[in-house]
Amino acid sequence: MTKITLGKGINAGLRAAMEADPKVVVMGEDIGKLGGVFRVTEGLQKDFGEDRVIDTPLAESGIIGTAVGLALRGYRPVCEIQFDGFVFPAYDQIINQVAKMHYRSMGKIKMPVVIRIPYGGGIGAVEHHSESPEALFAHVNGLKVVTCGDPVDAYWMIQQAIASDDPVVFFEPKRRYHEKAELDESVPPALPLHQAKVVREGADATLLCYGPMVKTCVQAAEAAVEDGRNLEVVDLRTISPFDLPTIFASVKKTGRAVVVHEATLSFGPGSEIAARVSEECFYHLEAPVLRVTGFDTPYPPSRMEEEYLPDLDRVLDGVDRVMGY
Amino acid sequence: MTKITLGKGINAGLRAAMEADPKVVVMGEDIGKLGGVFRVTEGLQKDFGEDRVIDTPLAESGIIGTAVGLALRGYRPVCEIQFDGFVFPAYDQIINQVAKMHYRSMGKIKMPVVIRIPYGGGIGAVEHHSESPEALFAHVNGLKVVTCGDPVDAYWMIQQAIASDDPVVFFEPKRRYHEKAELDESVPPALPLHQAKVVREGADATLLCYGPMVKTCVQAAEAAVEDGRNLEVVDLRTISPFDLPTIFASVKKTGRAVVVHEATLSFGPGSEIAARVSEECFYHLEAPVLRVTGFDTPYPPSRMEEEYLPDLDRVLDGVDRVMGY
Amino acid sequence: MSESVPGTPPEVFAPVEVPVSPAQPPEEVEFVQLLTPEGERVEHPDYSFDLDDEAIKGFYRDMVLVRRIDAEATALQRQGELGLWASLLGQEAAQIGSGRALNAKDMVFPTYREHGVAWCQGVNPLNLLGLFRGVDQGAWDPKDNNFHLYTIVIGAQTLHATGYAMGQQRDGVLGGGVDGDAGEATIAYFGDGASSQGDVNEAFIYASVFNAPVVFFCQNNQWAISEPIDRQTRIPLYQRAAGFGFPGVRVDGNDVLATYAVSQQALKRAREGSGPTLIEAYTYRMGAHTTSDDPTKYRLNEDLEHWKLKDPIERVHAYLSRHAGVDHDFFDEIDAEGDKIAAELRAGCLALPDPQLTDFFQHVYVEETPQLAEQRAQYAAYAASFDGEG
Amino acid sequence: MSESVPGTPPEVFAPVEVPVSPAQPPEEVEFVQLLTPEGERVEHPDYSFDLDDEAIKGFYRDMVLVRRIDAEATALQRQGELGLWASLLGQEAAQIGSGRALNAKDMVFPTYREHGVAWCQGVNPLNLLGLFRGVDQGAWDPKDNNFHLYTIVIGAQTLHATGYAMGQQRDGVLGGGVDGDAGEATIAYFGDGASSQGDVNEAFIYASVFNAPVVFFCQNNQWAISEPIDRQTRIPLYQRAAGFGFPGVRVDGNDVLATYAVSQQALKRAREGSGPTLIEAYTYRMGAHTTSDDPTKYRLNEDLEHWKLKDPIERVHAYLSRHAGVDHDFFDEIDAEGDKIAAELRAGCLALPDPQLTDFFQHVYVEETPQLAEQRAQYAAYAASFDGEG
Ligand SMILES: Cc1ncc(C[n+]2csc(CCOP(=O)(O)OP(=O)(O)O)c2C)c(N)n1
Ligand SMILES: Cc1ncc(C[n+]2csc(CCOP(=O)(O)OP(=O)(O)O)c2C)c(N)n1
Ligand SMILES: [Mg+2]
Ligand SMILES: [Mg+2]
């Protein structure tokens, strides 16, 4: 058992993957000596060398484009995008090349590429450093999209993502990098990569959340006890594909659901959940699926981010509304 | 009154906008002498010169990035992206720059940029030439997203988009470029840009569609008459923002809705409609909002596109299902 | 006229005139040439063609056969059997010369027009038709012939090639053998238009910074659909490389001996571990951009007539008959072989099975998602409901 | 040592060695220099500084004041008043020299570090703090001082600058006046790291093909966060321009006289209609990348010590006191002025009002959407429900 932060969990997971498979290479900006701006790759270049931990030129399309080539050569590249807002120069390579290669080749080519993206707000950063663009990847067929909500998942999920023969966009909740938990590396992961986790059982309504919002929702659920409400909290973990059986089971049980994410409301992940749940649980729903999310504006200057981001109060407000039907 | 195709409608609309305002410039690949691969800009360079109808280097990020600069200088650039699949090299400039400039400057900068994208399938093309990526733009705050379904709308909507002080992504249903209609240029447009249009009144269920699917849905509605079903068809026209009042009014009336689009199901435009309608019309819905869409695969090789694309039968199958609740 | 010209950059602050004419007439262009349009061999200080006349006969055969295949594909498109075809007409020497310079382990990243290179790599021409007929998107296994899938998104493949070359580097396969020639290299094909894409320039940077064993082979066919080369650059394209710190060379792209010699040297350099090279093969797109294009809208017929005199096949024909004692039997046999291959290609094309959408659901992921499995099953049931209807 | 070097490209096929040392020590670097680190003026065949000592005193004042402003902002960050600060320490000469070469109508596209250029354009330093304090995202009107918003997405602004310059061209404002110097130009600032972005290279292509009146001003401060310059290029950066067909020049970025002279000439060229120029200002980032960065992780202290000897301000101080008869009153006054400005800046910073989220909803669109109006109203009602709660 070791006490580990979420950031260190990913670091340890990367290390474990690199030790297990010499074909795993890590690449990105400032990931070498510096260990990445969040120190998630700290120490890796020292131990695995410059050929496996590659500081790239400052060009994101180049990172992903060369990763495609490395994958074609039999490597398993793990690419770091420095911040959420900087993935877009690489968007074409991700959606037209990484995502489609397996399909285009009728299954002959595999693209075991992992794209790590620290995402979300709450760290007081300047613009482009706090975004939640997961829906822009989840809508793209051929990609898988996951995100971890705690240090233990961080450790295992990054390894599962690297082991996946499908390309995985791996969103890391940057404001949770310093959250701590006990990790026992000898206990195998409890769940496969694309399965959701009920982190708190409840009966009155379901909070569906992921990444940075898991902690927020658990806190909200605890606070709701005072109001006599017993909330279930589901950490979705996988966004594409969603683990629909787990989601449906919970909502059918409680009859009410609130989706919570930092991403903007419209055309966000919550809309897909609402659409699916409304269809599958039509006769079980006591209320429409409600969404507590970032607003439909660009991410605001950081002095306003506390208001912009869903927090305990806004989650409870959503719960009030969903219980009001 | 002139008989005009949808493609010629846009051409005539561009011409009218260029005549009305010398600051309107048109830019893109092959739009000059060739008049664009779909001939939508035919004749414009001859009449307005190379300074206003600009054949650009083969670089989409450059097209949009220089359009931003031209807009900052007081121009109103209309950018052509040759095919839907080729907009992604420009994605960063579109979502980080075009979309955010007004917000970043607290309203001081305007970005009257129009990005024209021929989209959708059904023309027997090779890969990357038949995609429907509208959700990837609709999720981005700061952009507006519209699409025309008939030649008269094509003529007016492109002019309204150019007149808009907000950036507009203008999706053109390429397989409808040759659809014909009568246009009377002297009659002002019936609707503002961001309003939907009920193209067929009905009572039993609502088909919500846009762009290339409008024709398909009208045909389906006519075919449904034989089954004794009276379907309402709404041409949404505007995707971001959706015209929710028109959508809600129709669904509250019929109690049932099927969204039809070529874009992939998951995280697609239909999920946002389903989420909104489920919430707003919770007590009016006789059935969940269903979606008839492209499947969750990349666009297939063209020999299979007829199966991939929603057609009359699949729309009617959706209607059957929604009526079955 | 037949000289290799390393980039001479404009002087600092000497005003640079933007060229106004679409393309320089080839007379004024300086490049590496070893066989003139008239079929005469010429010397070059830095490059020589070191194979015998048998090899030249082989190149001739290659070029005639790929032109024949290309013509058949164009005909198939006209007859509605293909949705589209991108002809290589006029670019045979660039493709055969460079393709024949490849070693067995070298890897190729093509655009959508490299039918000649595919031929050299042993790809069955029928495989090339799938994409254009709309039954697949390439779907050959790149490993079978060291020939990656056609890439349609302009320039994207240059980064893939660079990454692949970085993989070769990491695999330690550079150097070794005579002169280090036992190593492996990668070659990336792209067009003059592609040179403007950010991706291509990023590929130059990655290749340069990592000294990757990649050859950038640009077929400057003067046109990117309707846009003449002056929409992409105002100086010769090969000079771009110098600004990134690696060598660039312009070669007569219609001269198969020169394209062979120049490619061979660049590939050798890469295999040895000496890094990237940019080759600009100066050629001309004799046909339309694709069968959907109408070049009469934007270019003059006289341009085409002018380039016909530089035909890549004609000059080898002239050389072989005048200087290598090859008689008409040889040529006739190849023509006959071409007709046979074309007939087989046609028959193969018509026999290509129509694909099933349900099959394609399974190619989206290695591990299919439950959602997709469900959609597939639903669609299969739906499709089956029509069976027997009519 | 003080010579302008147009790009001499490597010879064709001469193997290019990849440099292994992080950055060339400045002694070995060739560039345009007009004032040595010791404060001695030197001649250059192509460039001369044509202003008097009063102007140099002005430059000195500019540099001292922006360094003082920068130091105050760093202090504000340390005290928690700013979330972040990107220091220009060490780059004052590059920014003041180029900034002072601008005419009233020229337009500037900065990155996030051009506080010195902002100063030259008359932007109130307080405006620069908003972004870093997190109360806005720049929010000055670019038209007020012909100074665009700071751009954080690396390289994006080089395309904006090129487009803006294409607009100047279309407005017919090139040429005219003495030597065509009445025209307008645009200048784009970017870093050495940025030179690897596709956007920057596309900007070079657009500028070259359209002959746009834009000067690309690259501050090569040797580092892109933790990456040394050899991660971006293996030859001097200014040589990149030659490959795109326009002039490139390297200037001692710590020499304000030289950066002024070189910028002036390039801007003049642009205003006349002679097209783009790339200037590489060879300098050094004396501080951390930003206040969040820890350079001890990746660079040696001795590097920094070495560069301190080249300080851009010290050499002007030396020149003025030794050769221009300037006494300590002058220097003291400027220091005092700096302290005053810094105090004002600090007071202004602390007094910046906290922004209201509801206000920001209205800046998303010129014409607000009904959805957003509704969200805004709902949020306002929600927020109001907490009022009086405490
Ligand atoms: C990113 C992207 N933009 C646009 C297109 C459409 N397109 C296909 S081919 C072509 C011209 C390419 O010209 P060039 O690179 O010279 O190659 P060539 O066709 O002449 O061989 C264009 C614009 C594309 N395929 N990809
Ligand atoms: C597209 C993009 N990728 C990554 C970043 C993160 N980032 C911010 S500054 C920087 C380094 C920039 O280096 P350089 O261009 O040399 O400018 P300098 O900071 O040295 O002035 C990086 C990688 C970014 N802002 N934008
Ligand atoms: Mg071409
Ligand atoms: Mg730098």
Side-chain angles (χ1 to χ4, degrees):
Chain A
M1 291 288 266
T2 38
K3 194 113 185 159
I4 199 161
T5 63
L6 192 147
K8 292 275 174 236
I10 298 171
N11 178 277
L14 287 170
R15 178 175 290 276
M18 294 187 81
E19 274 162 1
D21 182 352
K23 291 293 185 187
V24 175
V25 293
V26 180
M27 52 202 293
E29 297 158 7
D30 303 297
I31 67 163
K33 274 197 190 143
L34 185 63
V37 293
F38 293 107
R39 307 294 183 270
V40 171
T41 55
E42 189 143 54
L44 298 180
Q45 192 179 63
K46 196 166 141 281
D47 294 340
F48 296 101
E50 293 192 14
D51 275 355
R52 291 186 65 195
V53 181
I54 308 170
D55 265 333
T56 65
L58 208 178
E60 286 79 7
S61 192
I63 296 174
I64 305 298
T66 54
V68 168
L70 281 159
L72 291 168
R73 180 75 191 183
Y75 286 85
R76 301 183 88 84
V78 183
C79 304
E80 172 170 316
I81 297 292
Q82 201 161 74
F83 282 91
D84 33 62
F86 306 136
V87 67
F88 300 110
Y91 197 67
D92 177 59
Q93 284 285 350
I94 296 173
I95 80 151
N96 272 336
Q97 303 298 331
V98 174
K100 297 202 173 91
M101 203 66 89
H102 188 65
Y103 186 83
R104 295 171 68 214
S105 68
M106 290 178 73
K108 297 192 185 69
I109 301 175
K110 288 177 191 161
M111 270 291 122
V113 175
V114 175
I115 301 169
R116 295 180 39 236
I117 309 180
Y119 80 122
I123 63 160
V126 296
E127 52 175 351
H128 310 296
H129 290 71
S130 304
E131 293 170 19
S132 297
E134 59 271 20
L136 301 176
F137 297 89
H139 185 49
V140 177
N141 305 308
L143 297 178
K144 290 177 173 173
V145 180
V146 304
T147 178
C148 52
D150 63 65
V152 177
D153 272 357
Y155 176 74
W156 289 116
M157 286 173 73
I158 189 68
Q159 293 181 67
Q160 291 169 322
I162 294 170
S164 165
D165 279 334
D166 290 309
V168 177
V169 184
F170 191 91
F171 281 101
E172 303 175 1
K174 68 169 87 83
R175 68 158 138 159
R176 305 296 183 210
Y177 273 140
H178 300 290
E179 296 293 318
K180 288 203 183 84
E182 294 287 341
L183 169 72
D184 184 347
E185 293 94 335
S186 66
V187 179
L191 296 174
L193 186 57
H194 297 290
Q195 199 163 311
K197 171 164 92 173
V198 178
V199 289
R200 186 183 194 282
E201 303 230 14
D204 298 337
T206 302
L207 296 179
L208 299 166
C209 56
Y210 54 83
M213 288 291 101
V214 175
K215 182 176 175 185
T216 307
C217 286
V218 169
Q219 288 174 337
E222 276 153 22
V225 172
E226 280 181 37
D227 305 333
R229 282 182 184 149
N230 184 12
L231 301 180
E232 179 141 315
V233 180
V234 180
D235 176 356
L236 297 171
R237 297 169 83 250
T238 170
I239 298 174
S240 177
F242 278 134
D243 173 8
L244 294 176
T246 304
I247 294 171
F248 294 156
S250 177
V251 179
K252 283 183 181 165
K253 182 175 78 173
T254 64
R256 292 181 162 85
V258 178
V259 187
V260 182
H261 56 62
E262 293 190 11
T264 263
L265 177 80
S266 292
F267 303 88
S271 64
E272 179 62 21
I273 297 184
R276 295 273 185 181
V277 168
S278 302
E279 183 173 348
E280 179 70 23
C281 310
F282 190 66
Y283 296 116
H284 296 82
L285 280 178
E286 309 281 342
V289 177
L290 296 188
R291 298 177 278 171
V292 174
T293 69
F295 299 108
D296 283 351
T297 79
Y299 199 85
S302 62
R303 291 258 162 167
M304 293 171 287
E305 71 180 344
E306 296 301 332
E307 295 175 79
Y308 181 85
L309 292 169
D311 62 2
L312 202 141
D313 286 325
R314 279 184 55 210
V315 172
L316 292 179
D317 178 62
V319 171
D320 281 350
R321 285 188 287 124
V322 87
M323 299 304 292
Y325 274 79
Chain B
M1 291 288 265
T2 37
K3 195 111 186 162
I4 200 162
T5 62
L6 192 148
K8 291 276 173 235
I10 298 170
N11 178 277
L14 288 170
R15 178 176 288 275
M18 295 187 81
E19 275 163 3
D21 183 351
K23 291 294 184 184
V24 175
V25 294
V26 180
M27 50 202 295
E29 296 158 7
D30 303 297
I31 66 164
K33 274 196 191 146
L34 184 62
V37 293
F38 293 107
R39 307 294 185 270
V40 171
T41 55
E42 188 142 55
L44 297 181
Q45 191 178 64
K46 197 166 140 281
D47 295 339
F48 296 101
E50 292 192 14
D51 274 356
R52 293 187 65 196
V53 180
I54 309 169
D55 266 334
T56 66
L58 208 176
E60 286 79 7
S61 192
I63 296 174
I64 305 298
T66 55
V68 168
L70 280 159
L72 291 168
R73 180 76 189 180
Y75 286 84
R76 303 183 87 86
V78 182
C79 304
E80 172 170 317
I81 297 293
Q82 200 161 76
F83 282 91
D84 33 63
F86 306 137
V87 66
F88 300 110
Y91 197 66
D92 176 58
Q93 285 284 352
I94 295 173
I95 80 148
N96 272 336
Q97 304 298 333
V98 174
K100 296 202 174 87
M101 204 64 88
H102 189 65
Y103 186 83
R104 295 171 68 214
S105 67
M106 290 179 71
K108 295 193 187 69
I109 300 176
K110 288 177 189 160
M111 269 291 123
V113 175
V114 175
I115 301 169
R116 296 180 37 236
I117 308 179
Y119 81 121
I123 63 160
V126 297
E127 54 176 350
H128 309 295
H129 289 72
S130 305
E131 293 170 20
S132 297
E134 59 272 20
L136 302 175
F137 298 89
H139 185 50
V140 177
N141 305 308
L143 298 179
K144 290 178 173 172
V145 181
V146 303
T147 177
C148 52
D150 63 63
V152 176
D153 272 357
Y155 176 73
W156 289 116
M157 287 174 73
I158 188 68
Q159 293 181 67
Q160 292 169 321
I162 295 170
S164 165
D165 278 335
D166 290 309
V168 177
V169 184
F170 192 91
F171 280 102
E172 302 175 1
K174 69 169 87 83
R175 71 158 135 158
R176 304 297 182 210
Y177 272 140
H178 299 291
E179 296 293 318
K180 288 205 185 80
E182 294 287 342
L183 168 72
D184 184 347
E185 294 96 333
S186 66
V187 179
L191 296 174
L193 187 57
H194 296 292
Q195 200 163 311
K197 171 164 91 176
V198 179
V199 289
R200 187 184 193 283
E201 303 229 15
D204 298 338
T206 302
L207 298 178
L208 298 166
C209 57
Y210 54 82
M213 287 290 103
V214 176
K215 182 178 175 184
T216 308
C217 285
V218 169
Q219 288 174 338
E222 275 154 21
V225 173
E226 279 180 38
D227 305 334
R229 281 181 186 150
N230 183 11
L231 302 180
E232 179 141 316
V233 180
V234 180
D235 176 356
L236 298 170
R237 298 170 82 249
T238 172
I239 297 173
S240 177
F242 278 135
D243 173 9
L244 294 176
T246 303
I247 295 171
F248 294 157
S250 176
V251 179
K252 283 182 182 166
K253 182 175 79 174
T254 63
R256 291 180 161 88
V258 179
V259 188
V260 182
H261 56 62
E262 294 189 12
T264 262
L265 178 79
S266 292
F267 303 87
S271 63
E272 178 62 20
I273 297 184
R276 295 275 185 178
V277 169
S278 302
E279 183 173 348
E280 178 70 22
C281 311
F282 190 64
Y283 295 116
H284 295 82
L285 280 179
E286 309 281 341
V289 176
L290 297 188
R291 298 177 278 171
V292 174
T293 70
F295 299 109
D296 283 351
T297 78
Y299 199 85
S302 62
R303 291 259 163 169
M304 293 172 288
E305 70 181 345
E306 297 300 332
E307 295 175 81
Y308 181 84
L309 292 169
D311 62 1
L312 201 142
D313 287 326
R314 279 185 54 212
V315 172
L316 291 178
D317 178 63
V319 171
D320 281 349
R321 285 188 287 124
V322 85
M323 299 303 292
Y325 273 79
Chain C
M1 168 167 173
S2 59
E3 210 186 329
S4 149
V5 186
T8 340
E11 294 204 10
V12 176
F13 292 141
V16 178
E17 291 290 306
V18 182
V20 282
S21 63
Q24 292 154 285
E27 282 75 10
E28 296 167 20
V29 170
E30 302 192 28
F31 47 36
V32 179
Q33 190 183 69
L34 298 175
L35 184 69
T36 69
E38 295 73 33
E40 301 302 317
R41 290 184 68 164
V42 287
E43 294 294 309
H44 188 278
D46 301 324
Y47 298 93
S48 60
F49 182 74
D50 54 12
L51 303 181
D52 59 15
D53 284 345
E54 275 312 302
I56 299 178
K57 285 162 74 178
F59 291 175
Y60 177 84
R61 173 176 170 271
D62 289 335
M63 292 197 289
V64 170
L65 295 184
V66 298
R67 182 174 285 188
R68 184 66 187 86
I69 289 166
D70 189 78
E72 195 64 23
T74 301
L76 283 164
Q77 194 282 334
R78 295 273 175 253
Q79 292 149 14
E81 295 297 338
L82 301 180
L84 186 82
W85 182 248
S87 167
L88 64 33
L89 192 68
Q91 300 177 214
E92 294 85 356
Q95 296 194 16
I96 298 302
S98 57
R100 286 300 176 202
L102 294 165
N103 281 356
K105 288 188 175 167
D106 295 333
M107 182 69 193
V108 177
F109 286 84
T111 71
Y112 41 80
R113 206 188 285 287
E114 270 66 74
H115 321 313
V117 186
W119 170 262
C120 295
Q121 293 293 93
V123 176
N124 182 341
L126 187 58
N127 284 348
L128 305 179
L129 300 192
L131 175 72
F132 295 99
R133 188 172 168 87
V135 301
D136 61 40
Q137 291 172 337
W140 56 85
D141 189 332
K143 287 201 212 74
D144 287 345
N145 300 84
N146 276 9
F147 189 79
H148 186 62
L149 298 186
Y150 275 1
T151 297
I152 287 179
V153 182
I154 298 295
Q157 76 283 1
T158 58
L159 279 169
H160 307 162
T162 304
Y164 192 93
M166 288 166 65
Q168 291 173 320
Q169 229 173 4
R170 277 159 184 72
D171 288 345
V173 296
L174 305 190
V178 182
D179 280 340
D181 211 35
E184 299 179 22
T186 297
I187 189 166
Y189 287 87
F190 61 106
D192 44 297
S195 68
S196 294
Q197 284 287 358
D199 272 10
V200 173
N201 293 278
E202 292 188 10
F204 290 168
I205 292 168
Y206 276 70
S208 167
V209 162
F210 295 113
N211 211 31
V214 56
V215 174
F216 295 106
F217 194 93
C218 178
Q219 289 169 80
N220 174 2
N221 64 7
Q222 314 300 327
W223 295 93
I225 310 187
S226 75
E227 299 194 356
I229 179 72
D230 75 353
R231 288 296 83 181
Q232 320 297 339
T233 183
R234 64 187 195 186
I235 60 168
L237 267 179
Y238 76 94
Q239 293 180 11
R240 181 81 56 88
F244 292 97
F246 58 90
V249 58
R250 180 183 264 180
V251 61
D252 178 350
N254 285 10
D255 171 356
V256 72
L257 305 194
T259 56
Y260 176 85
V262 168
S263 303
Q264 201 198 27
Q265 203 160 320
L267 287 162
K268 181 161 174 293
R269 229 183 134 256
R271 291 182 203 120
E272 284 169 6
S274 301
T277 303
L278 169 64
I279 297 173
E280 177 192 357
Y282 197 84
T283 178
Y284 191 76
R285 197 192 77 207
M286 305 276 279
H289 169 69
T290 66
T291 47
S292 298
D293 180 38
D294 174 9
T296 63
K297 291 234 164 214
Y298 54 81
R299 72 182 188 187
L300 298 173
N301 201 37
E302 59 205 41
D303 244 37
L304 182 62
E305 290 308 317
H306 176 93
W307 275 91
K308 277 192 184 154
L309 304 174
K310 323 267 171 209
D311 188 88
I313 297 184
E314 283 312 311
R315 68 178 77 181
V316 183
H317 191 291
Y319 168 77
L320 287 176
S321 35
R322 267 189 249 144
H323 300 293
V326 174
D327 67 13
H328 60 82
D329 284 351
F330 172 79
F331 301 116
D332 292 348
E333 260 167 44
I334 290 174
D335 289 344
E337 186 182 2
D339 290 340
K340 189 161 156 279
I341 291 173
E344 282 166 19
L345 182 66
R346 165 170 296 263
C349 176
L350 301 183
L352 280 174
D354 262 350
Q356 294 302 313
L357 189 60
T358 37
D359 293 341
F360 272 72
F361 278 86
Q362 296 173 63
H363 299 314
V364 184
Y365 296 104
V366 177
E367 201 183 320
E368 193 176 34
T369 67
Q371 275 89 323
L372 206 47
E374 192 192 358
Q375 272 186 35
R376 181 164 51 84
Q378 278 168 357
Y379 177 71
Y382 166 81
S385 73
F386 289 87
D387 285 353
E389 271 193 18
Chain D
M1 169 167 173
S2 59
E3 210 187 331
S4 151
V5 187
T8 342
E11 293 203 14
V12 175
F13 292 139
V16 178
E17 290 291 306
V18 182
V20 283
S21 64
Q24 293 154 283
E27 283 75 10
E28 295 169 20
V29 170
E30 303 191 27
F31 48 33
V32 179
Q33 190 183 69
L34 299 175
L35 182 70
T36 70
E38 296 73 32
E40 302 301 319
R41 289 183 66 165
V42 288
E43 295 292 311
H44 188 279
D46 301 324
Y47 297 92
S48 61
F49 182 73
D50 54 11
L51 303 181
D52 59 15
D53 283 348
E54 276 311 301
I56 299 179
K57 285 162 75 178
F59 291 175
Y60 177 84
R61 174 175 169 269
D62 289 335
M63 291 196 291
V64 171
L65 296 185
V66 299
R67 183 173 286 189
R68 185 66 187 83
I69 289 167
D70 189 78
E72 194 64 24
T74 300
L76 283 165
Q77 195 281 336
R78 295 276 174 251
Q79 293 150 13
E81 297 297 337
L82 301 180
L84 186 83
W85 182 249
S87 168
L88 62 36
L89 193 68
Q91 301 178 215
E92 294 86 354
Q95 296 192 16
I96 299 300
S98 57
R100 285 301 176 200
L102 294 165
N103 282 355
K105 289 187 174 168
D106 294 334
M107 182 71 194
V108 177
F109 285 83
T111 71
Y112 41 79
R113 206 187 285 286
E114 270 65 75
H115 322 313
V117 186
W119 170 262
C120 295
Q121 292 294 89
V123 176
N124 182 340
L126 186 59
N127 283 348
L128 305 179
L129 300 192
L131 174 73
F132 296 99
R133 188 171 168 87
V135 300
D136 60 41
Q137 289 171 338
W140 56 84
D141 189 333
K143 285 198 211 76
D144 287 346
N145 300 84
N146 276 8
F147 189 78
H148 186 63
L149 299 185
Y150 276 3
T151 296
I152 288 178
V153 181
I154 298 295
Q157 76 283 1
T158 57
L159 280 169
H160 307 163
T162 303
Y164 192 92
M166 288 166 65
Q168 292 174 318
Q169 231 174 2
R170 277 159 185 72
D171 288 345
V173 297
L174 305 189
V178 182
D179 280 341
D181 212 36
E184 299 180 22
T186 297
I187 190 165
Y189 288 86
F190 60 107
D192 45 295
S195 68
S196 294
Q197 284 288 358
D199 272 10
V200 173
N201 293 278
E202 292 188 10
F204 290 169
I205 291 167
Y206 275 69
S208 167
V209 162
F210 295 113
N211 209 33
V214 56
V215 174
F216 295 106
F217 194 94
C218 178
Q219 287 169 79
N220 174 2
N221 64 6
Q222 315 299 326
W223 295 93
I225 308 185
S226 75
E227 299 195 355
I229 179 71
D230 76 351
R231 288 295 83 182
Q232 320 296 341
T233 183
R234 63 187 196 186
I235 60 168
L237 266 181
Y238 75 95
Q239 293 180 11
R240 181 81 56 86
F244 291 97
F246 58 91
V249 57
R250 180 183 264 181
V251 62
D252 178 350
N254 285 11
D255 171 357
V256 71
L257 305 193
T259 55
Y260 176 86
V262 167
S263 303
Q264 200 196 28
Q265 202 161 319
L267 287 162
K268 182 161 173 290
R269 230 184 132 254
R271 292 184 203 118
E272 285 170 4
S274 299
T277 303
L278 169 64
I279 298 173
E280 177 192 358
Y282 198 84
T283 179
Y284 191 76
R285 197 193 74 208
M286 306 275 281
H289 169 70
T290 65
T291 47
S292 299
D293 180 39
D294 175 8
T296 63
K297 291 234 164 210
Y298 54 81
R299 73 182 188 187
L300 300 172
N301 201 38
E302 57 205 43
D303 244 36
L304 182 60
E305 291 307 317
H306 176 94
W307 275 91
K308 277 190 183 155
L309 305 175
K310 322 268 170 211
D311 188 86
I313 297 183
E314 284 311 312
R315 67 177 78 180
V316 182
H317 191 291
Y319 168 76
L320 288 176
S321 36
R322 267 189 249 143
H323 301 292
V326 175
D327 68 12
H328 60 82
D329 285 352
F330 172 79
F331 300 116
D332 291 349
E333 261 167 45
I334 290 174
D335 288 344
E337 186 183 2
D339 289 341
K340 193 164 151 276
I341 290 173
E344 282 166 20
L345 183 66
R346 164 170 296 264
C349 176
L350 301 183
L352 279 174
D354 263 350
Q356 294 303 314
L357 188 61
T358 36
D359 294 341
F360 272 73
F361 278 85
Q362 298 174 60
H363 299 314
V364 184
Y365 296 103
V366 177
E367 201 184 320
E368 194 177 33
T369 67
Q371 275 89 323
L372 205 49
E374 192 191 359
Q375 272 185 35
R376 179 164 53 84
Q378 278 170 358
Y379 176 71
Y382 166 81
S385 74
F386 289 87
D387 285 353
E389 274 193 15

